[in-house]
Amino acid sequence: MSFPAHITVLYFAAASTTLGITDELVPIPEKGLYLSQLTELLIERHSQSSLNALRKILDSSQWSIDAEMVDDEDLTKVELKDGMEVAVICPVSGG
Amino acid sequence: MLPPGSSVEGVVELSGAVCSISYALDTVESTIKRVSDDRFGAIATFIGTTRNSFQGKAVTKLEYQAYTKLALKTMTQIIVDARNRSPDFRAVVQHRIGVVGVGEPSIVIAVASPHRNEAFRTCEFILEEVKRKAQIWKREYYEGKDESEAEWKSNV
């Protein structure tokens, strides 16, 4: 099955250090994939990495789409679409 | 490893406030000048600096990354929220990205208000909100340890 749509996923901090990358283009189905399902998709894509570490990081992270934070309770309601910029927002430590 | 492509410099100017993310900070003097206003009698400033230790481990440096376009949006909203609590102030909030050595400043906040009470409180409010919400991350490097063992911190 080929996916015609793509999202850009941005990684920062611990997520980027664990994966060794800061961003990637991820193929997704044109419809029917929700933000709440992205963690599993990313873990499948990176099955050669340290899965426990990646899962732990993704489970403790929040998400943003096109530079807007998504509330945790809305993850199952937000459908991923072609061209979206999705960022993994690990617990922050500014200031 | 190179920093994320989205961890770049950026500035947002609002009415009476400037928020920025940059590799170097302006001098405290120039920041104070920017918020100064003859109507206001109090200027409160906060400067965060890199400490030389954490839980007994010697720290050699900190490194900061930001998802800049979102962090600046968040900082903008923090200023808006601060104005809802206390409308009359001028503020500058500057956060560094990149390497910040021991003793060096990573964040500068300056707030000018009519009186000292609001200046202190608004400055503290902005700092605590930035620490809680801004999409900025800090990595702590330790003496005698490989760079790969540097730890990403969490404010939670």
Side-chain angles (χ1 to χ4, degrees), chain B residues 28-64:
Chain B
V28 176
E29 269 174 82
S30 65
T31 300
I32 286 171
K33 270 210 177 106
R34 275 180 109 166
V35 300
S36 292
D37 188 312
D38 290 347
R39 296 172 295 147
F40 297 157
I43 299 172
T45 61
F46 174 81
I47 301 164
T49 60
T50 296
R51 282 184 295 150
N52 62 6
S53 74
F54 177 75
Q55 290 182 349
K57 292 182 284 194
V59 171
T60 55
K61 64 184 180 186
L62 295 179
E63 184 192 357
Y64 288 90

PDB file of all heavy atoms in Angstrom, chain B residues 28-64:
ATOM      1  N   VAL B  28      22.405  44.149  29.322  1.00  0.00           N
ATOM      2  CA  VAL B  28      21.316  44.454  30.256  1.00  0.00           C
ATOM      3  C   VAL B  28      20.971  45.949  30.179  1.00  0.00           C
ATOM      4  O   VAL B  28      19.809  46.330  30.219  1.00  0.00           O
ATOM      5  CB  VAL B  28      21.705  44.045  31.691  1.00  0.00           C
ATOM      6  CG1 VAL B  28      20.625  44.456  32.681  1.00  0.00           C
ATOM      7  CG2 VAL B  28      21.915  42.536  31.761  1.00  0.00           C
ATOM      8  N   GLU B  29      22.019  46.768  30.013  1.00  0.00           N
ATOM      9  CA  GLU B  29      21.793  48.219  29.900  1.00  0.00           C
ATOM     10  C   GLU B  29      20.883  48.569  28.734  1.00  0.00           C
ATOM     11  O   GLU B  29      19.962  49.372  28.845  1.00  0.00           O
ATOM     12  CB  GLU B  29      23.120  48.931  29.665  1.00  0.00           C
ATOM     13  CG  GLU B  29      23.814  49.375  30.910  1.00  0.00           C
ATOM     14  CD  GLU B  29      25.189  49.930  30.596  1.00  0.00           C
ATOM     15  OE1 GLU B  29      25.264  51.114  30.216  1.00  0.00           O
ATOM     16  OE2 GLU B  29      26.164  49.171  30.703  1.00  0.00           O
ATOM     17  N   SER B  30      21.146  47.984  27.570  1.00  0.00           N
ATOM     18  CA  SER B  30      20.330  48.338  26.403  1.00  0.00           C
ATOM     19  C   SER B  30      18.920  47.793  26.580  1.00  0.00           C
ATOM     20  O   SER B  30      17.954  48.400  26.121  1.00  0.00           O
ATOM     21  CB  SER B  30      20.975  47.840  25.110  1.00  0.00           C
ATOM     22  OG  SER B  30      21.014  46.442  25.100  1.00  0.00           O
ATOM     23  N   THR B  31      18.790  46.646  27.257  1.00  0.00           N
ATOM     24  CA  THR B  31      17.467  46.076  27.512  1.00  0.00           C
ATOM     25  C   THR B  31      16.665  46.984  28.445  1.00  0.00           C
ATOM     26  O   THR B  31      15.482  47.227  28.230  1.00  0.00           O
ATOM     27  CB  THR B  31      17.603  44.670  28.119  1.00  0.00           C
ATOM     28  OG1 THR B  31      18.311  43.851  27.184  1.00  0.00           O
ATOM     29  CG2 THR B  31      16.257  44.041  28.403  1.00  0.00           C
ATOM     30  N   ILE B  32      17.350  47.506  29.464  1.00  0.00           N
ATOM     31  CA  ILE B  32      16.681  48.418  30.404  1.00  0.00           C
ATOM     32  C   ILE B  32      16.229  49.680  29.664  1.00  0.00           C
ATOM     33  O   ILE B  32      15.129  50.192  29.875  1.00  0.00           O
ATOM     34  CB  ILE B  32      17.623  48.759  31.579  1.00  0.00           C
ATOM     35  CG1 ILE B  32      17.718  47.556  32.503  1.00  0.00           C
ATOM     36  CG2 ILE B  32      17.128  49.986  32.344  1.00  0.00           C
ATOM     37  CD1 ILE B  32      18.780  47.676  33.575  1.00  0.00           C
ATOM     38  N   LYS B  33      17.077  50.165  28.772  1.00  0.00           N
ATOM     39  CA  LYS B  33      16.722  51.369  27.991  1.00  0.00           C
ATOM     40  C   LYS B  33      15.466  51.115  27.168  1.00  0.00           C
ATOM     41  O   LYS B  33      14.623  51.993  27.021  1.00  0.00           O
ATOM     42  CB  LYS B  33      17.854  51.729  27.026  1.00  0.00           C
ATOM     43  CG  LYS B  33      18.891  52.662  27.553  1.00  0.00           C
ATOM     44  CD  LYS B  33      19.501  53.521  26.430  1.00  0.00           C
ATOM     45  CE  LYS B  33      20.492  54.519  27.020  1.00  0.00           C
ATOM     46  NZ  LYS B  33      21.895  54.179  26.763  1.00  0.00           N
ATOM     47  N   ARG B  34      15.363  49.917  26.605  1.00  0.00           N
ATOM     48  CA  ARG B  34      14.224  49.587  25.750  1.00  0.00           C
ATOM     49  C   ARG B  34      12.902  49.608  26.498  1.00  0.00           C
ATOM     50  O   ARG B  34      11.874  49.921  25.917  1.00  0.00           O
ATOM     51  CB  ARG B  34      14.402  48.199  25.133  1.00  0.00           C
ATOM     52  CG  ARG B  34      15.219  48.223  23.873  1.00  0.00           C
ATOM     53  CD  ARG B  34      15.355  46.827  23.338  1.00  0.00           C
ATOM     54  NE  ARG B  34      14.555  46.694  22.132  1.00  0.00           N
ATOM     55  CZ  ARG B  34      14.657  45.689  21.292  1.00  0.00           C
ATOM     56  NH1 ARG B  34      15.474  44.694  21.531  1.00  0.00           N
ATOM     57  NH2 ARG B  34      13.917  45.639  20.214  1.00  0.00           N
ATOM     58  N   VAL B  35      12.915  49.211  27.769  1.00  0.00           N
ATOM     59  CA  VAL B  35      11.635  49.185  28.500  1.00  0.00           C
ATOM     60  C   VAL B  35      11.374  50.496  29.240  1.00  0.00           C
ATOM     61  O   VAL B  35      10.256  50.756  29.661  1.00  0.00           O
ATOM     62  CB  VAL B  35      11.541  48.010  29.513  1.00  0.00           C
ATOM     63  CG1 VAL B  35      11.666  46.682  28.796  1.00  0.00           C
ATOM     64  CG2 VAL B  35      12.575  48.131  30.619  1.00  0.00           C
ATOM     65  N   SER B  36      12.408  51.321  29.385  1.00  0.00           N
ATOM     66  CA  SER B  36      12.257  52.557  30.162  1.00  0.00           C
ATOM     67  C   SER B  36      11.179  53.453  29.584  1.00  0.00           C
ATOM     68  O   SER B  36      11.019  53.562  28.369  1.00  0.00           O
ATOM     69  CB  SER B  36      13.574  53.329  30.191  1.00  0.00           C
ATOM     70  OG  SER B  36      14.518  52.631  30.940  1.00  0.00           O
ATOM     71  N   ASP B  37      10.459  54.076  30.491  1.00  0.00           N
ATOM     72  CA  ASP B  37       9.365  54.955  30.077  1.00  0.00           C
ATOM     73  C   ASP B  37       9.186  55.962  31.208  1.00  0.00           C
ATOM     74  O   ASP B  37       9.083  55.568  32.367  1.00  0.00           O
ATOM     75  CB  ASP B  37       8.107  54.105  29.869  1.00  0.00           C
ATOM     76  CG  ASP B  37       6.968  54.885  29.259  1.00  0.00           C
ATOM     77  OD1 ASP B  37       6.669  56.006  29.731  1.00  0.00           O
ATOM     78  OD2 ASP B  37       6.352  54.356  28.319  1.00  0.00           O
ATOM     79  N   ASP B  38       9.149  57.247  30.845  1.00  0.00           N
ATOM     80  CA  ASP B  38       9.048  58.281  31.878  1.00  0.00           C
ATOM     81  C   ASP B  38       7.780  58.171  32.718  1.00  0.00           C
ATOM     82  O   ASP B  38       7.717  58.711  33.823  1.00  0.00           O
ATOM     83  CB  ASP B  38       9.132  59.666  31.241  1.00  0.00           C
ATOM     84  CG  ASP B  38      10.531  59.968  30.716  1.00  0.00           C
ATOM     85  OD1 ASP B  38      11.468  59.212  31.058  1.00  0.00           O
ATOM     86  OD2 ASP B  38      10.682  60.958  29.984  1.00  0.00           O
ATOM     87  N   ARG B  39       6.785  57.452  32.201  1.00  0.00           N
ATOM     88  CA  ARG B  39       5.549  57.275  32.991  1.00  0.00           C
ATOM     89  C   ARG B  39       5.741  56.226  34.090  1.00  0.00           C
ATOM     90  O   ARG B  39       4.947  56.130  35.017  1.00  0.00           O
ATOM     91  CB  ARG B  39       4.401  56.808  32.102  1.00  0.00           C
ATOM     92  CG  ARG B  39       3.964  57.785  31.038  1.00  0.00           C
ATOM     93  CD  ARG B  39       2.960  57.153  30.092  1.00  0.00           C
ATOM     94  NE  ARG B  39       3.567  56.066  29.324  1.00  0.00           N
ATOM     95  CZ  ARG B  39       2.913  54.975  28.937  1.00  0.00           C
ATOM     96  NH1 ARG B  39       1.647  54.796  29.244  1.00  0.00           N
ATOM     97  NH2 ARG B  39       3.543  54.048  28.236  1.00  0.00           N
ATOM     98  N   PHE B  40       6.780  55.408  33.944  1.00  0.00           N
ATOM     99  CA  PHE B  40       6.931  54.263  34.835  1.00  0.00           C
ATOM    100  C   PHE B  40       8.047  54.479  35.845  1.00  0.00           C
ATOM    101  O   PHE B  40       9.141  54.903  35.475  1.00  0.00           O
ATOM    102  CB  PHE B  40       7.219  52.994  34.027  1.00  0.00           C
ATOM    103  CG  PHE B  40       6.107  52.585  33.103  1.00  0.00           C
ATOM    104  CD1 PHE B  40       6.360  51.794  31.999  1.00  0.00           C
ATOM    105  CD2 PHE B  40       4.796  52.982  33.341  1.00  0.00           C
ATOM    106  CE1 PHE B  40       5.337  51.404  31.140  1.00  0.00           C
ATOM    107  CE2 PHE B  40       3.765  52.607  32.495  1.00  0.00           C
ATOM    108  CZ  PHE B  40       4.038  51.810  31.384  1.00  0.00           C
ATOM    109  N   GLY B  41       7.817  54.142  37.083  1.00  0.00           N
ATOM    110  CA  GLY B  41       8.792  54.383  38.137  1.00  0.00           C
ATOM    111  C   GLY B  41       9.540  53.142  38.601  1.00  0.00           C
ATOM    112  O   GLY B  41      10.377  53.226  39.494  1.00  0.00           O
ATOM    113  N   ALA B  42       9.240  51.989  37.999  1.00  0.00           N
ATOM    114  CA  ALA B  42       9.904  50.764  38.460  1.00  0.00           C
ATOM    115  C   ALA B  42      10.319  49.911  37.284  1.00  0.00           C
ATOM    116  O   ALA B  42       9.552  49.712  36.345  1.00  0.00           O
ATOM    117  CB  ALA B  42       8.960  49.976  39.364  1.00  0.00           C
ATOM    118  N   ILE B  43      11.544  49.404  37.343  1.00  0.00           N
ATOM    119  CA  ILE B  43      12.018  48.440  36.347  1.00  0.00           C
ATOM    120  C   ILE B  43      12.533  47.226  37.100  1.00  0.00           C
ATOM    121  O   ILE B  43      13.457  47.331  37.911  1.00  0.00           O
ATOM    122  CB  ILE B  43      13.155  49.015  35.478  1.00  0.00           C
ATOM    123  CG1 ILE B  43      12.674  50.246  34.714  1.00  0.00           C
ATOM    124  CG2 ILE B  43      13.659  47.947  34.497  1.00  0.00           C
ATOM    125  CD1 ILE B  43      13.773  50.985  33.974  1.00  0.00           C
ATOM    126  N   ALA B  44      11.920  46.068  36.828  1.00  0.00           N
ATOM    127  CA  ALA B  44      12.381  44.824  37.444  1.00  0.00           C
ATOM    128  C   ALA B  44      13.048  43.994  36.364  1.00  0.00           C
ATOM    129  O   ALA B  44      12.544  43.916  35.245  1.00  0.00           O
ATOM    130  CB  ALA B  44      11.215  44.058  38.050  1.00  0.00           C
ATOM    131  N   THR B  45      14.200  43.412  36.711  1.00  0.00           N
ATOM    132  CA  THR B  45      14.864  42.562  35.731  1.00  0.00           C
ATOM    133  C   THR B  45      15.153  41.199  36.349  1.00  0.00           C
ATOM    134  O   THR B  45      15.380  41.086  37.560  1.00  0.00           O
ATOM    135  CB  THR B  45      16.205  43.151  35.237  1.00  0.00           C
ATOM    136  OG1 THR B  45      17.088  43.274  36.344  1.00  0.00           O
ATOM    137  CG2 THR B  45      16.019  44.478  34.562  1.00  0.00           C
ATOM    138  N   PHE B  46      15.130  40.162  35.512  1.00  0.00           N
ATOM    139  CA  PHE B  46      15.561  38.835  35.916  1.00  0.00           C
ATOM    140  C   PHE B  46      16.580  38.348  34.903  1.00  0.00           C
ATOM    141  O   PHE B  46      16.382  38.465  33.686  1.00  0.00           O
ATOM    142  CB  PHE B  46      14.389  37.840  35.978  1.00  0.00           C
ATOM    143  CG  PHE B  46      14.878  36.440  36.257  1.00  0.00           C
ATOM    144  CD1 PHE B  46      15.172  36.048  37.558  1.00  0.00           C
ATOM    145  CD2 PHE B  46      15.105  35.536  35.227  1.00  0.00           C
ATOM    146  CE1 PHE B  46      15.674  34.773  37.822  1.00  0.00           C
ATOM    147  CE2 PHE B  46      15.605  34.256  35.477  1.00  0.00           C
ATOM    148  CZ  PHE B  46      15.889  33.880  36.794  1.00  0.00           C
ATOM    149  N   ILE B  47      17.674  37.785  35.419  1.00  0.00           N
ATOM    150  CA  ILE B  47      18.670  37.181  34.545  1.00  0.00           C
ATOM    151  C   ILE B  47      18.900  35.763  35.027  1.00  0.00           C
ATOM    152  O   ILE B  47      19.219  35.552  36.207  1.00  0.00           O
ATOM    153  CB  ILE B  47      19.997  37.967  34.591  1.00  0.00           C
ATOM    154  CG1 ILE B  47      19.755  39.405  34.156  1.00  0.00           C
ATOM    155  CG2 ILE B  47      21.041  37.300  33.692  1.00  0.00           C
ATOM    156  CD1 ILE B  47      20.871  40.341  34.525  1.00  0.00           C
ATOM    157  N   GLY B  48      18.711  34.767  34.151  1.00  0.00           N
ATOM    158  CA  GLY B  48      18.983  33.377  34.504  1.00  0.00           C
ATOM    159  C   GLY B  48      20.365  33.014  33.996  1.00  0.00           C
ATOM    160  O   GLY B  48      20.682  33.308  32.841  1.00  0.00           O
ATOM    161  N   THR B  49      21.180  32.410  34.838  1.00  0.00           N
ATOM    162  CA  THR B  49      22.531  32.049  34.417  1.00  0.00           C
ATOM    163  C   THR B  49      22.807  30.564  34.638  1.00  0.00           C
ATOM    164  O   THR B  49      22.120  29.915  35.436  1.00  0.00           O
ATOM    165  CB  THR B  49      23.590  32.852  35.197  1.00  0.00           C
ATOM    166  OG1 THR B  49      23.445  32.567  36.592  1.00  0.00           O
ATOM    167  CG2 THR B  49      23.436  34.340  34.969  1.00  0.00           C
ATOM    168  N   THR B  50      23.805  30.056  33.943  1.00  0.00           N
ATOM    169  CA  THR B  50      24.165  28.645  34.067  1.00  0.00           C
ATOM    170  C   THR B  50      24.924  28.411  35.354  1.00  0.00           C
ATOM    171  O   THR B  50      25.968  29.033  35.601  1.00  0.00           O
ATOM    172  CB  THR B  50      25.048  28.228  32.866  1.00  0.00           C
ATOM    173  OG1 THR B  50      24.276  28.357  31.670  1.00  0.00           O
ATOM    174  CG2 THR B  50      25.508  26.779  32.998  1.00  0.00           C
ATOM    175  N   ARG B  51      24.419  27.489  36.163  1.00  0.00           N
ATOM    176  CA  ARG B  51      25.095  27.122  37.409  1.00  0.00           C
ATOM    177  C   ARG B  51      26.170  26.088  37.132  1.00  0.00           C
ATOM    178  O   ARG B  51      26.082  25.341  36.153  1.00  0.00           O
ATOM    179  CB  ARG B  51      24.089  26.517  38.393  1.00  0.00           C
ATOM    180  CG  ARG B  51      23.238  27.548  39.094  1.00  0.00           C
ATOM    181  CD  ARG B  51      22.351  26.876  40.109  1.00  0.00           C
ATOM    182  NE  ARG B  51      21.399  25.991  39.463  1.00  0.00           N
ATOM    183  CZ  ARG B  51      20.905  24.896  40.012  1.00  0.00           C
ATOM    184  NH1 ARG B  51      21.263  24.534  41.219  1.00  0.00           N
ATOM    185  NH2 ARG B  51      20.049  24.148  39.358  1.00  0.00           N
ATOM    186  N   ASN B  52      27.147  25.995  38.051  1.00  0.00           N
ATOM    187  CA  ASN B  52      28.272  25.085  37.802  1.00  0.00           C
ATOM    188  C   ASN B  52      28.054  23.671  38.314  1.00  0.00           C
ATOM    189  O   ASN B  52      28.942  22.826  38.223  1.00  0.00           O
ATOM    190  CB  ASN B  52      29.564  25.654  38.395  1.00  0.00           C
ATOM    191  CG  ASN B  52      29.474  25.807  39.910  1.00  0.00           C
ATOM    192  OD1 ASN B  52      28.503  25.401  40.543  1.00  0.00           O
ATOM    193  ND2 ASN B  52      30.498  26.410  40.505  1.00  0.00           N
ATOM    194  N   SER B  53      26.864  23.414  38.893  1.00  0.00           N
ATOM    195  CA  SER B  53      26.645  22.040  39.358  1.00  0.00           C
ATOM    196  C   SER B  53      25.177  21.697  39.394  1.00  0.00           C
ATOM    197  O   SER B  53      24.312  22.579  39.413  1.00  0.00           O
ATOM    198  CB  SER B  53      27.254  21.837  40.751  1.00  0.00           C
ATOM    199  OG  SER B  53      26.451  22.485  41.721  1.00  0.00           O
ATOM    200  N   PHE B  54      24.872  20.424  39.380  1.00  0.00           N
ATOM    201  CA  PHE B  54      23.518  19.932  39.538  1.00  0.00           C
ATOM    202  C   PHE B  54      23.586  18.612  40.290  1.00  0.00           C
ATOM    203  O   PHE B  54      24.240  17.664  39.844  1.00  0.00           O
ATOM    204  CB  PHE B  54      22.837  19.734  38.182  1.00  0.00           C
ATOM    205  CG  PHE B  54      21.458  19.156  38.297  1.00  0.00           C
ATOM    206  CD1 PHE B  54      20.400  19.945  38.733  1.00  0.00           C
ATOM    207  CD2 PHE B  54      21.218  17.811  38.015  1.00  0.00           C
ATOM    208  CE1 PHE B  54      19.121  19.407  38.868  1.00  0.00           C
ATOM    209  CE2 PHE B  54      19.939  17.268  38.151  1.00  0.00           C
ATOM    210  CZ  PHE B  54      18.894  18.070  38.584  1.00  0.00           C
ATOM    211  N   GLN B  55      22.946  18.556  41.445  1.00  0.00           N
ATOM    212  CA  GLN B  55      22.948  17.350  42.287  1.00  0.00           C
ATOM    213  C   GLN B  55      24.339  16.744  42.425  1.00  0.00           C
ATOM    214  O   GLN B  55      24.546  15.549  42.198  1.00  0.00           O
ATOM    215  CB  GLN B  55      21.984  16.305  41.708  1.00  0.00           C
ATOM    216  CG  GLN B  55      20.542  16.739  41.857  1.00  0.00           C
ATOM    217  CD  GLN B  55      19.544  15.714  41.335  1.00  0.00           C
ATOM    218  OE1 GLN B  55      19.924  14.757  40.674  1.00  0.00           O
ATOM    219  NE2 GLN B  55      18.275  15.922  41.636  1.00  0.00           N
ATOM    220  N   GLY B  56      25.290  17.579  42.770  1.00  0.00           N
ATOM    221  CA  GLY B  56      26.642  17.093  43.040  1.00  0.00           C
ATOM    222  C   GLY B  56      27.513  16.874  41.817  1.00  0.00           C
ATOM    223  O   GLY B  56      28.709  16.632  41.930  1.00  0.00           O
ATOM    224  N   LYS B  57      26.936  16.961  40.629  1.00  0.00           N
ATOM    225  CA  LYS B  57      27.734  16.772  39.415  1.00  0.00           C
ATOM    226  C   LYS B  57      28.180  18.137  38.899  1.00  0.00           C
ATOM    227  O   LYS B  57      27.385  19.077  38.861  1.00  0.00           O
ATOM    228  CB  LYS B  57      26.903  16.085  38.321  1.00  0.00           C
ATOM    229  CG  LYS B  57      26.535  14.651  38.639  1.00  0.00           C
ATOM    230  CD  LYS B  57      25.746  14.013  37.504  1.00  0.00           C
ATOM    231  CE  LYS B  57      24.308  14.505  37.492  1.00  0.00           C
ATOM    232  NZ  LYS B  57      23.449  13.649  36.623  1.00  0.00           N
ATOM    233  N   ALA B  58      29.458  18.223  38.496  1.00  0.00           N
ATOM    234  CA  ALA B  58      29.971  19.490  37.967  1.00  0.00           C
ATOM    235  C   ALA B  58      29.455  19.681  36.539  1.00  0.00           C
ATOM    236  O   ALA B  58      29.607  18.803  35.688  1.00  0.00           O
ATOM    237  CB  ALA B  58      31.492  19.479  37.990  1.00  0.00           C
ATOM    238  N   VAL B  59      28.847  20.837  36.306  1.00  0.00           N
ATOM    239  CA  VAL B  59      28.298  21.159  34.981  1.00  0.00           C
ATOM    240  C   VAL B  59      29.298  22.032  34.240  1.00  0.00           C
ATOM    241  O   VAL B  59      29.834  22.992  34.807  1.00  0.00           O
ATOM    242  CB  VAL B  59      26.959  21.918  35.134  1.00  0.00           C
ATOM    243  CG1 VAL B  59      26.471  22.462  33.793  1.00  0.00           C
ATOM    244  CG2 VAL B  59      25.910  21.002  35.753  1.00  0.00           C
ATOM    245  N   THR B  60      29.558  21.699  32.988  1.00  0.00           N
ATOM    246  CA  THR B  60      30.508  22.506  32.217  1.00  0.00           C
ATOM    247  C   THR B  60      29.797  23.518  31.320  1.00  0.00           C
ATOM    248  O   THR B  60      30.308  24.599  31.054  1.00  0.00           O
ATOM    249  CB  THR B  60      31.392  21.619  31.323  1.00  0.00           C
ATOM    250  OG1 THR B  60      30.531  20.815  30.512  1.00  0.00           O
ATOM    251  CG2 THR B  60      32.276  20.710  32.168  1.00  0.00           C
ATOM    252  N   LYS B  61      28.625  23.155  30.840  1.00  0.00           N
ATOM    253  CA  LYS B  61      27.870  24.081  29.995  1.00  0.00           C
ATOM    254  C   LYS B  61      26.437  23.589  29.838  1.00  0.00           C
ATOM    255  O   LYS B  61      26.117  22.436  30.120  1.00  0.00           O
ATOM    256  CB  LYS B  61      28.525  24.199  28.613  1.00  0.00           C
ATOM    257  CG  LYS B  61      28.524  22.904  27.831  1.00  0.00           C
ATOM    258  CD  LYS B  61      29.265  23.026  26.507  1.00  0.00           C
ATOM    259  CE  LYS B  61      29.224  21.682  25.772  1.00  0.00           C
ATOM    260  NZ  LYS B  61      30.027  21.658  24.565  1.00  0.00           N
ATOM    261  N   LEU B  62      25.595  24.503  29.372  1.00  0.00           N
ATOM    262  CA  LEU B  62      24.227  24.157  28.986  1.00  0.00           C
ATOM    263  C   LEU B  62      24.089  24.432  27.496  1.00  0.00           C
ATOM    264  O   LEU B  62      24.798  25.281  26.946  1.00  0.00           O
ATOM    265  CB  LEU B  62      23.211  25.010  29.738  1.00  0.00           C
ATOM    266  CG  LEU B  62      23.127  24.841  31.253  1.00  0.00           C
ATOM    267  CD1 LEU B  62      22.069  25.785  31.816  1.00  0.00           C
ATOM    268  CD2 LEU B  62      22.805  23.414  31.636  1.00  0.00           C
ATOM    269  N   GLU B  63      23.178  23.709  26.871  1.00  0.00           N
ATOM    270  CA  GLU B  63      22.886  23.965  25.470  1.00  0.00           C
ATOM    271  C   GLU B  63      21.375  24.073  25.329  1.00  0.00           C
ATOM    272  O   GLU B  63      20.654  23.246  25.887  1.00  0.00           O
ATOM    273  CB  GLU B  63      23.413  22.805  24.623  1.00  0.00           C
ATOM    274  CG  GLU B  63      23.257  23.010  23.134  1.00  0.00           C
ATOM    275  CD  GLU B  63      23.522  21.738  22.343  1.00  0.00           C
ATOM    276  OE1 GLU B  63      23.877  20.717  22.952  1.00  0.00           O
ATOM    277  OE2 GLU B  63      23.345  21.777  21.122  1.00  0.00           O
ATOM    278  N   TYR B  64      20.923  25.092  24.623  1.00  0.00           N
ATOM    279  CA  TYR B  64      19.483  25.313  24.464  1.00  0.00           C
ATOM    280  C   TYR B  64      19.073  25.154  23.013  1.00  0.00           C
ATOM    281  O   TYR B  64      19.787  25.547  22.093  1.00  0.00           O
ATOM    282  CB  TYR B  64      19.110  26.735  24.913  1.00  0.00           C
ATOM    283  CG  TYR B  64      19.155  26.944  26.405  1.00  0.00           C
ATOM    284  CD1 TYR B  64      20.315  27.367  27.037  1.00  0.00           C
ATOM    285  CD2 TYR B  64      18.021  26.728  27.189  1.00  0.00           C
ATOM    286  CE1 TYR B  64      20.348  27.565  28.411  1.00  0.00           C
ATOM    287  CE2 TYR B  64      18.039  26.931  28.558  1.00  0.00           C
ATOM    288  CZ  TYR B  64      19.206  27.346  29.157  1.00  0.00           C
ATOM    289  OH  TYR B  64      19.233  27.543  30.520  1.00  0.00           O
TER     290      TYR B  64
END
